[in-house]
Structure formats: structure tokens, C-alpha cells
Amino acid sequence: MRLPVIVGMGGVNAAGRTSGFQSFRRMIIDVLPDHERTDTLLGLAVMMGLVTAEGGDVGKSYYRDAAAGEAGKLLTASEVAEQYGQRVIDGTLVRRVESSYFDVDALRWQSNGTLKPDPNQHTGEIQFVLATNQLPKELPDNWSLQPQDDKHVLVTVAGDLNVKIDNFRDFPFKAAGQLPSGFNMSELYNSRFQPRGLQMALFGATDALRSMGIEWDTVLKHIQPDQVGVYSSSGFGQMDANAYGGMHQARMKGERVTTKSLAMGINSMPTDFINAYVLANVGIASSSVAACATFLSNLRHAISDLQTGKIRVAMVGNSEAPIGPELMDGFGTMGALATDDNMVKTYGDTVVDHRRASRPFGNNCGFTIGEASQYFMLMDDELALELGAPCLGSITDVFIDADGVKKSITAPGPGNHITMAKAAAAATAVAGGQALREKSFVLAHGSSTPQNRITESQILDQVAEAFDISDWPVLAVKAYVGHTIAPAGGDQLAAALGTFQYGILPGIQTIDAVADDVHQQRLKMGPEHQQINPDNLEIAILNSKGFGGNNASAVVLSPMRTESMLTKRHGEQAMSVYRQKRENSLAAADDYFHRADNGDYAPIYRFGEGLIADEDISMNQQTLTIKGLANSIQLPQTNHYADMTDN
């Protein structure tokens, strides 16, 4: 079976850019060496539009205050970190919803009102003047009209009149995991009023692609064009004004629905955008949706197709932009989101600390919504070696199990016990029991709800007991970036790869202590970072629990363990050649990371480029050729059911 190797990662969440481990470094910035802390703050300051780069490589160039422009004095990287560091810290991770999204203190809405006749008039009627073209198509039975001029009528209403009143209200859910303050993707390319979630998908896919350090055209020269798969989606579709949000609101606001609203809102659109505008892909397009386990559901399809040879390269990920009053109202009505009032009651604070709104496994009162775009490039092991691609780790298994009969569709059930037990057993089968017991850790779903802290910790603790694990390290990255719904598992995978790289397991720094009702006899979690030699970290298990019984757990192997497996399969000589080739990829990737830290993102957007016309396609019974593509597509010739047919 082919091994799916992770060769690139990209995206953006509340902690920053995924590639080059920027977002991971932001989460552990308090324990980074000075030079890495400076680089992290610098890259984020540029991303947030606080400073602009004046050219050169990071650490060697100079920067200016973006607001001052040419009048601003030149600053070194360390000066940027010193002067703007606190603004970077304050403008990242979970925080109070910024006004660029909507005003949580004065959210516009329509309240109901009933107008009654003036009792002093003794007529029992209400009168007002209305433009003729604003009259309803069918007049209510208690309305009568009297013309005033060519364009207006006097309306007399017998009795009460129900109306909608333009109003404002205080929004009870005021915290979210927002992208870094000031970062505006729409200015990076001709975004054509595209929904925010699709802008994020283009950014994340580009970031992941360039993080490989290998040109995409080079990859395509080594494979058939249909041996590429994109596995992506959003959980709720695109809900802002340029998509479903605008479509749902238009008529109620007296406006017209735009031609793009429906198409742009479909939850498979992140896949479609990446295929059409980033990769120019003619291979597999797959979009799975599984609530909060959506990322792992897409990942399962990708690794299955890689393992069986159906594809050779996969881009896997999700993009979600759910920070808006409609979705937050929906979750809040369910009682799932942390409100300011409940935080005051739960934590006993007189002033709400929105920075600590998300508190997995601590004393908590609900989760905090977040937005993110997370994408990963995977190749089968043979192609990764052939191209000299980076090795960030590998994925061996993803398990998905439902809950069976449920009393409430949102309640947990036994499915997650099954997926976690399977993941632990599969990790043992591949890496051995000792590696699981001594060199593994868990990226928990950790949603920050009272129910999750009890049920998930019980599952993890029971699995640890069954597999004789003590002090199993448990991470919960939603404390930093919030719950990003579809990409949540991608946030976890990015953190797992960062942990392999740095040997630092981010603590749950938003909690004071683990809650008393959390099962932790065999688990190790808390607010403190855990620092471990990277050589002693070989296995990460990702866990997702989604509404409706969407449970998923995945086994991720470290770069060191992955290379050990590659050596056993391909031999020392092949690995030596691979590592020599990889030097070029790593150098190119590092160059991209430096350019991106200086604000040179340039999302790939191939709108209308390289269109394939009917006359560009030729075929016979064995192959199909498309003009402009390096290789032909081999048509199926093998009968996989030979024992059942006469052919």
C-alpha cells in the first residue's frame, strides 16, 4: 500500500499563516527563542498592514510604518517587533469581534411593532401617505386608498397595523477567532466581490502549493493529469452578503438577488475554485461535509485514493468564514456559544476577557466560533521521493464511525469511542505499542463546552487505559483559534506538524486549571506548554466530534518516523538521492516563506487562463490527450471483475 506523505501545508487562521509554521509559532510565541519570536512578530505585522517591507529578505531588509508611508522612518526587524509586537499580540487569536465584521454592541435588526389608532381621534383608523409603487400587490382587507397625486395615495387602515421597525440590539456573543486584524485578502488579487470563504480558499491553496518548493507544472510532468485530487468544502457554504447571506436577505431588504449569490454559496465551491483557478485540475473533485469532522472526512477520501493509486497527488482542506450574526445566532440559540453573561456567571469576573472565551477542558460555558482556511499537499511515497518533495509527516489512517440511535441529533454517542480505539490500534500496528505509549499525543476536538469536556475526556482516558498509556499529552488548539467548523481538523493537523517540528506541545493557556469533572487519570493537559525532544514525538492522533454523529480520528506520523518507513521500503541509496533532491525544494520553500513574511503572497488566480476547447481534446480507445498538458490520460483497460464476467 502506498504511503500518503505530507509535502506541503498552507492557509490562515486567527494565529496567522499556516506555511512556515507561522501560525504555530504565534501559539507558542512566549517560549520561542528571540530570533524566531522576532520573525513571527515581523511577518504578522506585515500581514496585518502595520508595516510595509522595503525589499530584501526578512531579517535583512527595512520596514516602514504603513500609515506614515514614505514619511515613516526605516525600521529593522527587531525594531518592528519591539514597536508593533503588542499590537500583533492583541490583533491575533480569539478576541472581541471587530467592527469590520459587524457591531456586536448595536446589531441592526427588525423588531416587531403594532401601530394602534389614536384613541383621541375616535375613528379607529390609522392614516399615512405612501408612494403608489410601494403598495403591496394585494391590499390587506382593512386598507382603503385615496389618491393624493399621480404618485402617492392616502392609506387608511381600519384597526391595528403590524410593522417591522428598523432597530438595534446588543449581540450576546462577542468573541471569535478572527483572522489577524487588518489582513484583507480581497486586495491581494482581483477578487470580483467573491465571498470571504472563497477568498480564503484561494489564499490557503496557494500557500500550500508554494510551500512545497516545487513548481506545479513540474509535478504535472511526472503524472497523468487525472492523477490529481482536490478534497475540500465548507461546512455551511458561503454565508456572507456575496453568496447565501445576500440571497436569503435580499427580498426581505427590498433588494434583488444577484446572479452569483446561489452559485457562490454552494459548500463545494472551495473545491471548484481551487480546481478552476489554482491548479487547473482535470482530476478528482471531491467535497465531503460532516459538520465539525468535515476536514477528516475529506482527508479520509484523499488518503484512500492515494493508497490505492487512484491518484498520486492530493490537495486536502477546507475554508470556512462563519463569523456573522446569522450563524452565530443559530449556534447561540442552541446554547452552544459562550455569551458574555454566562462568562461572568461561570468565571466570576466583573470584566469579560474575550481573549479567554474559548476554554477547552476547563470550567467553560460554550464554544467560540472561528474562521480559517487550511490546506495540505499529499503525495504517494514514490512520487515524493522522485520529486524530492519536503516531508512534513504522513497519514496512515482516518477512521469514521457514527453514533447509532440517538435521542438528540446533536448529542454524543459511541462512535467516537470506536474511532479513537481504531486509531490507537492502527498506530500500534504501524509504529508499535511502545511508540504509542511513550511517543504519541492527541489533538483533541476540545470544543470548550461542558458536555465535550466530560465526554471526550472520558473517551481519551478509556482508550489510554485500554492501551496502557500513562500521562497521554492532550492538546486543544481551539483555545487559540476558536472552533472553525469545517477546517477545525486542519487547525489540529497544522498544530501536530508544528509540534513535530519544534517539540513544543501548546498548553491550554486560556484555562486556570482543568475542570474537576474532566477524566484525566491517564491524560496530561493543562495551561502550561509541554516541551519534549522532537525525537520523542512520533505519533499524533487527531480527534473530531461533529454534530449528528460525525466522529473521526486520524493517525499522523512524524517526519522522522515517516523517513524511517521510507528507508525500509526504498533503501538507503534511494533515500540519499531523495535528500539531495529535497535540498532544492526546501531552499525554494524557504525563499517563499521569506517573501510571504514580507507580504508577497500573490494568490494564484487563473481566471480565464488556459481554457480547454473541444478541439483541444483528442482520444482513442487507450488514451485521451489534452493540448497543453504534458501527459495523456490512460483510459481504463483492466477488468477488475474478471472472475464475474466473460470478458
Coordinates of all heavy atoms in Angstrom, one line a residue, residues 342-403:
N342 N -22.9 34.6 30.5 CA -22.6 33.3 31.0 C -21.1 33.2 31.5 O -20.8 32.5 32.4 CB -22.8 32.2 30.0 CG -24.3 31.8 29.9 OD1 -25.1 32.1 30.8 ND2 -24.7 31.2 28.8
M343 N -20.3 34.0 30.7 CA -18.9 34.0 31.2 C -18.7 34.7 32.5 O -17.9 34.3 33.4 CB -18.0 34.7 30.1 CG -17.7 33.8 28.9 SD -16.4 34.5 27.8 CE -17.3 35.6 26.8
V344 N -19.5 35.8 32.7 CA -19.5 36.5 34.0 C -19.9 35.5 35.1 O -19.3 35.4 36.2 CB -20.3 37.7 34.0 CG1 -20.5 38.3 35.4 CG2 -19.7 38.8 33.1
K345 N -21.0 34.8 34.9 CA -21.6 33.9 35.9 C -20.6 32.7 36.1 O -20.4 32.3 37.3 CB -22.9 33.4 35.4 CG -24.0 34.4 35.3 CD -25.3 33.8 34.7 CE -26.4 34.9 34.5 NZ -27.6 34.4 33.9
T346 N -20.0 32.2 35.1 CA -19.2 31.0 35.2 C -17.9 31.3 35.8 O -17.4 30.5 36.7 CB -19.0 30.3 33.8 OG1 -20.2 30.0 33.2 CG2 -18.2 29.1 33.9
Y347 N -17.2 32.4 35.4 CA -15.9 32.7 35.9 C -15.8 33.6 37.0 O -14.7 33.8 37.6 CB -15.0 33.2 34.7 CG -15.2 32.3 33.4 CD1 -15.4 32.9 32.2 CD2 -15.1 30.9 33.5 CE1 -15.6 32.1 31.1 CE2 -15.3 30.1 32.4 CZ -15.5 30.7 31.2 OH -15.6 29.9 30.1
G348 N -16.9 34.3 37.3 CA -16.9 35.2 38.5 C -16.2 36.5 38.2 O -15.8 37.2 39.1
D349 N -15.9 36.8 36.9 CA -15.2 38.0 36.6 C -16.2 39.2 36.4 O -17.2 39.0 35.8 CB -14.3 37.9 35.3 CG -13.3 36.8 35.4 OD1 -12.9 36.5 36.6 OD2 -12.9 36.1 34.4
T350 N -15.8 40.4 36.8 CA -16.7 41.5 36.6 C -16.5 42.1 35.2 O -17.4 42.7 34.6 CB -16.4 42.6 37.6 OG1 -15.0 43.0 37.6 CG2 -16.8 42.1 39.0
V351 N -15.3 41.9 34.6 CA -15.0 42.3 33.3 C -14.7 41.1 32.4 O -13.9 40.2 32.8 CB -13.8 43.2 33.2 CG1 -13.5 43.6 31.8 CG2 -14.0 44.5 34.1
V352 N -15.4 41.0 31.3 CA -15.3 39.8 30.4 C -13.9 39.8 29.7 O -13.6 40.9 29.1 CB -16.4 39.7 29.4 CG1 -16.2 38.5 28.5 CG2 -17.7 39.5 30.2
D353 N -13.2 38.8 29.7 CA -11.9 38.7 29.0 C -12.2 37.8 27.7 O -12.2 36.6 27.8 CB -10.8 38.0 29.8 CG -9.5 38.0 29.2 OD1 -9.4 38.4 28.0 OD2 -8.5 37.6 29.8
H354 N -12.5 38.5 26.6 CA -12.8 37.8 25.4 C -11.6 37.0 24.8 O -11.8 36.1 24.1 CB -13.3 38.8 24.3 CG -14.6 39.5 24.7 ND1 -14.6 40.8 25.1 CD2 -15.8 39.0 24.7 CE1 -15.9 41.1 25.3 NE2 -16.6 40.0 25.1
R355 N -10.4 37.4 25.3 CA -9.2 36.6 24.9 C -9.3 35.2 25.4 O -8.7 34.3 24.8 CB -7.9 37.3 25.4 CG -7.8 38.7 25.0 CD -7.3 38.8 23.6 NE -6.0 38.3 23.4 CZ -5.3 38.3 22.2 NH1 -5.9 38.7 21.1 NH2 -4.1 37.8 22.1
R356 N -10.0 35.0 26.5 CA -10.1 33.7 27.1 C -11.5 33.1 27.0 O -11.9 32.2 27.8 CB -9.7 33.8 28.6 CG -8.3 34.3 28.8 CD -8.0 34.4 30.3 NE -8.0 33.1 31.0 CZ -8.2 33.0 32.3 NH1 -8.5 34.0 33.1 NH2 -8.2 31.7 32.8
A357 N -12.2 33.5 26.0 CA -13.6 33.0 25.8 C -13.6 31.5 25.5 O -14.5 30.8 26.0 CB -14.2 33.7 24.6
S358 N -12.6 30.9 24.8 CA -12.6 29.5 24.5 C -11.7 28.8 25.5 O -10.5 29.0 25.6 CB -12.0 29.3 23.1 OG -11.9 28.0 22.7
R359 N -12.3 27.9 26.3 CA -11.6 27.3 27.4 C -11.8 25.7 27.4 O -12.5 25.2 28.2 CB -12.0 27.8 28.7 CG -11.9 29.4 28.8 CD -12.2 29.9 30.2 NE -12.2 31.3 30.3 CZ -12.0 32.1 31.4 NH1 -11.8 31.5 32.5 NH2 -12.1 33.4 31.3
P360 N -11.2 25.0 26.4 CA -11.3 23.6 26.4 C -10.9 22.9 27.7 O -9.8 23.2 28.2 CB -10.4 23.2 25.2 CG -10.3 24.4 24.4 CD -10.3 25.6 25.4
F361 N -11.7 22.0 28.1 CA -11.4 21.1 29.3 C -11.2 21.9 30.6 O -10.9 21.4 31.6 CB -10.1 20.3 29.1 CG -10.3 19.4 27.9 CD1 -9.5 19.6 26.7 CD2 -11.2 18.3 27.9 CE1 -9.7 18.7 25.6 CE2 -11.3 17.5 26.8 CZ -10.6 17.7 25.7
G362 N -11.6 23.2 30.6 CA -11.6 24.0 31.8 C -13.0 24.2 32.2 O -14.0 23.7 31.6
N363 N -13.2 25.1 33.2 CA -14.5 25.5 33.6 C -15.0 26.4 32.5 O -14.5 27.5 32.3 CB -14.4 26.2 34.9 CG -15.8 26.5 35.5 OD1 -16.8 25.8 35.3 ND2 -15.9 27.5 36.4
N364 N -16.0 25.9 31.7 CA -16.4 26.7 30.5 C -17.9 26.7 30.3 O -18.7 26.1 31.1 CB -15.7 26.1 29.3 CG -16.0 24.6 29.1 OD1 -17.0 24.1 29.5 ND2 -14.9 23.8 28.6
C365 N -18.4 27.5 29.4 CA -19.8 27.7 29.2 C -20.2 27.7 27.7 O -21.3 28.1 27.4 CB -20.2 29.0 29.9 SG -19.5 30.5 29.2
G366 N -19.4 27.2 26.8 CA -19.7 27.2 25.4 C -18.5 27.5 24.5 O -17.5 28.0 25.0
F367 N -18.6 27.1 23.2 CA -17.5 27.3 22.3 C -17.5 28.7 21.7 O -18.4 29.5 21.8 CB -17.4 26.2 21.3 CG -18.4 26.2 20.2 CD1 -18.2 27.1 19.1 CD2 -19.5 25.4 20.1 CE1 -19.0 27.1 18.0 CE2 -20.3 25.4 19.0 CZ -20.1 26.3 18.0
T368 N -16.4 29.0 21.1 CA -16.2 30.3 20.4 C -16.0 30.0 18.9 O -15.1 29.3 18.5 CB -15.0 31.0 21.0 OG1 -15.2 31.2 22.4 CG2 -14.8 32.4 20.3
I369 N -16.8 30.7 18.1 CA -16.7 30.5 16.6 C -15.3 31.0 16.1 O -14.8 32.0 16.7 CB -17.8 31.2 15.9 CG1 -18.1 30.5 14.6 CG2 -17.6 32.7 15.7 CD1 -18.9 29.2 14.7
G370 N -14.8 30.5 15.0 CA -13.6 30.9 14.4 C -13.6 30.8 12.9 O -14.5 30.1 12.4
E371 N -12.7 31.4 12.2 CA -12.7 31.3 10.7 C -11.3 30.8 10.4 O -10.3 31.1 11.0 CB -13.0 32.6 10.1 CG -12.1 33.7 10.4 CD -12.4 35.1 9.7 OE1 -13.3 35.0 8.8 OE2 -11.9 36.1 10.1
A372 N -11.2 30.0 9.3 CA -9.9 29.5 8.9 C -10.0 29.0 7.5 O -11.0 28.6 7.0 CB -9.4 28.4 9.8
S373 N -8.8 28.9 6.9 CA -8.6 28.1 5.6 C -7.4 27.3 5.8 O -6.3 27.8 6.1 CB -8.4 29.1 4.5 OG -7.9 28.5 3.3
Q374 N -7.5 26.0 5.7 CA -6.4 25.1 6.0 C -6.3 24.1 4.8 O -7.3 23.4 4.5 CB -6.5 24.3 7.3 CG -6.5 25.2 8.5 CD -5.1 25.7 8.8 OE1 -4.2 25.6 8.0 NE2 -4.9 26.4 10.0
Y375 N -5.1 24.0 4.1 CA -4.9 23.1 3.0 C -3.6 22.4 3.1 O -2.6 23.0 3.6 CB -5.0 23.8 1.7 CG -6.5 24.2 1.4 CD1 -7.0 25.3 1.8 CD2 -7.3 23.2 0.7 CE1 -8.4 25.6 1.6 CE2 -8.6 23.5 0.5 CZ -9.2 24.7 0.9 OH -10.5 24.9 0.7
F376 N -3.5 21.1 2.7 CA -2.4 20.3 2.8 C -2.1 19.6 1.5 O -3.1 19.1 0.8 CB -2.5 19.3 3.9 CG -2.7 19.9 5.3 CD1 -3.9 20.4 5.7 CD2 -1.6 20.1 6.1 CE1 -4.1 21.0 6.9 CE2 -1.7 20.7 7.3 CZ -3.0 21.2 7.7
M377 N -0.9 19.5 1.1 CA -0.5 18.8 -0.2 C 0.0 17.4 0.3 O 0.9 17.3 1.1 CB 0.6 19.5 -0.9 CG 0.2 20.9 -1.4 SD -1.2 20.9 -2.6 CE -0.6 19.8 -3.9
L378 N -0.5 16.3 -0.3 CA -0.1 15.0 -0.1 C 0.3 14.3 -1.4 O -0.3 14.5 -2.4 CB -1.2 14.1 0.6 CG -1.5 14.4 2.1 CD1 -2.2 15.7 2.3 CD2 -2.3 13.2 2.6
M379 N 1.3 13.4 -1.3 CA 1.8 12.6 -2.4 C 2.0 11.2 -2.0 O 2.2 11.0 -0.8 CB 3.1 13.1 -3.0 CG 3.1 14.5 -3.6 SD 4.8 14.9 -4.3 CE 4.4 16.6 -5.0
D380 N 1.9 10.3 -2.9 CA 2.3 8.9 -2.6 C 3.8 8.9 -2.4 O 4.5 9.8 -2.9 CB 1.8 7.9 -3.6 CG 2.5 8.0 -4.9 OD1 3.7 8.0 -5.0 OD2 1.7 8.1 -5.9
D381 N 4.3 7.9 -1.6 CA 5.7 8.0 -1.2 C 6.7 7.9 -2.4 O 7.7 8.6 -2.4 CB 6.0 6.8 -0.2 CG 5.6 5.5 -0.8 OD1 4.4 5.2 -1.0 OD2 6.5 4.6 -1.0
E382 N 6.3 7.2 -3.5 CA 7.2 7.0 -4.6 C 7.3 8.4 -5.3 O 8.4 8.8 -5.7 CB 6.6 6.0 -5.6 CG 7.5 5.7 -6.8 CD 7.0 4.6 -7.7 OE1 6.2 3.8 -7.2 OE2 7.3 4.6 -8.9
L383 N 6.2 9.1 -5.5 CA 6.3 10.4 -6.2 C 7.0 11.4 -5.3 O 7.8 12.2 -5.9 CB 4.9 10.9 -6.5 CG 4.8 12.2 -7.3 CD1 5.5 12.1 -8.6 CD2 3.4 12.6 -7.5
A384 N 6.8 11.4 -4.0 CA 7.5 12.3 -3.1 C 9.0 12.1 -3.3 O 9.8 13.1 -3.3 CB 7.1 12.1 -1.7
L385 N 9.5 10.9 -3.3 CA 10.9 10.6 -3.5 C 11.4 11.1 -4.8 O 12.5 11.6 -5.0 CB 11.2 9.1 -3.2 CG 11.7 8.8 -1.8 CD1 10.6 9.1 -0.8 CD2 12.1 7.3 -1.8
E386 N 10.6 10.8 -5.9 CA 11.0 11.1 -7.2 C 11.2 12.6 -7.4 O 12.1 13.0 -8.1 CB 10.0 10.6 -8.2 CG 10.3 10.8 -9.7 CD 9.2 10.2 -10.6 OE1 8.3 9.6 -10.1 OE2 9.3 10.5 -11.8
L387 N 10.3 13.4 -6.8 CA 10.4 14.8 -6.9 C 11.3 15.5 -5.9 O 11.6 16.7 -6.0 CB 9.0 15.4 -6.8 CG 8.0 15.1 -8.0 CD1 6.6 15.6 -7.6 CD2 8.5 15.7 -9.3
G388 N 11.7 14.8 -4.9 CA 12.5 15.4 -3.8 C 11.6 16.4 -3.0 O 12.1 17.5 -2.6
A389 N 10.4 16.0 -2.7 CA 9.4 16.9 -2.0 C 9.7 16.9 -0.5 O 10.3 16.0 0.0 CB 8.0 16.4 -2.2
P390 N 9.4 18.0 0.2 CA 9.5 18.1 1.6 C 8.8 16.9 2.3 O 7.8 16.4 1.7 CB 9.0 19.4 2.0 CG 9.1 20.2 0.8 CD 8.8 19.3 -0.4
C391 N 9.2 16.5 3.5 CA 8.5 15.5 4.2 C 8.1 16.1 5.6 O 8.9 16.2 6.5 CB 9.4 14.3 4.4 SG 8.6 13.0 5.5
L392 N 6.8 16.5 5.7 CA 6.3 17.1 7.0 C 5.7 16.0 7.9 O 5.4 16.3 9.0 CB 5.3 18.1 6.7 CG 5.7 19.3 5.8 CD1 4.5 20.2 5.6 CD2 6.8 20.1 6.5
G393 N 5.6 14.8 7.3 CA 5.0 13.7 8.1 C 4.2 12.9 7.1 O 4.3 13.0 5.9
S394 N 3.3 12.0 7.6 CA 2.5 11.1 6.8 C 1.2 10.8 7.5 O 1.1 10.9 8.7 CB 3.2 9.9 6.4 OG 3.6 9.1 7.6
I395 N 0.2 10.4 6.7 CA -1.1 10.0 7.3 C -1.3 8.5 6.9 O -1.3 8.1 5.8 CB -2.3 10.8 6.7 CG1 -2.0 12.3 6.6 CG2 -3.6 10.5 7.5 CD1 -2.1 13.0 7.9
T396 N -1.5 7.7 7.9 CA -1.7 6.2 7.6 C -3.2 5.8 7.6 O -3.6 5.0 6.9 CB -1.0 5.4 8.7 OG1 -1.5 5.6 10.0 CG2 0.5 5.7 8.7
D397 N -4.0 6.5 8.5 CA -5.4 6.0 8.6 C -6.3 7.2 9.1 O -5.8 8.0 9.8 CB -5.5 4.9 9.7 CG -4.8 3.6 9.3 OD1 -5.3 2.8 8.5 OD2 -3.7 3.4 9.8
V398 N -7.5 7.2 8.6 CA -8.6 8.0 9.1 C -9.8 7.1 9.3 O -10.2 6.4 8.4 CB -8.9 9.2 8.2 CG1 -10.1 10.0 8.8 CG2 -7.7 10.0 7.9
F399 N -10.3 7.1 10.5 CA -11.5 6.3 10.9 C -12.7 7.2 11.1 O -12.6 8.2 11.8 CB -11.2 5.4 12.1 CG -10.0 4.5 11.9 CD1 -8.7 4.8 12.4 CD2 -10.1 3.3 11.2 CE1 -7.7 4.0 12.2 CE2 -9.0 2.5 10.9 CZ -7.8 2.8 11.5
I400 N -13.8 6.7 10.6 CA -15.1 7.5 10.8 C -16.2 6.5 11.2 O -16.4 5.5 10.6 CB -15.5 8.2 9.5 CG1 -14.5 9.3 9.1 CG2 -16.9 8.8 9.6 CD1 -14.7 10.0 7.8
D401 N -16.8 6.8 12.3 CA -17.9 6.0 12.8 C -19.1 6.8 13.3 O -18.8 7.9 14.0 CB -17.4 5.0 13.9 CG -16.6 3.9 13.3 OD1 -17.1 2.9 12.9 OD2 -15.3 4.1 13.3
A402 N -20.3 6.4 13.1 CA -21.5 7.1 13.5 C -21.9 6.6 14.9 O -21.3 5.7 15.5 CB -22.6 6.9 12.5
D403 N -22.9 7.3 15.5 CA -23.3 7.0 16.9 C -24.5 6.0 17.1 O -24.8 5.8 18.2 CB -23.7 8.4 17.5 CG -22.5 9.2 17.8 OD1 -21.4 8.7 18.1 OD2 -22.7 10.5 17.9

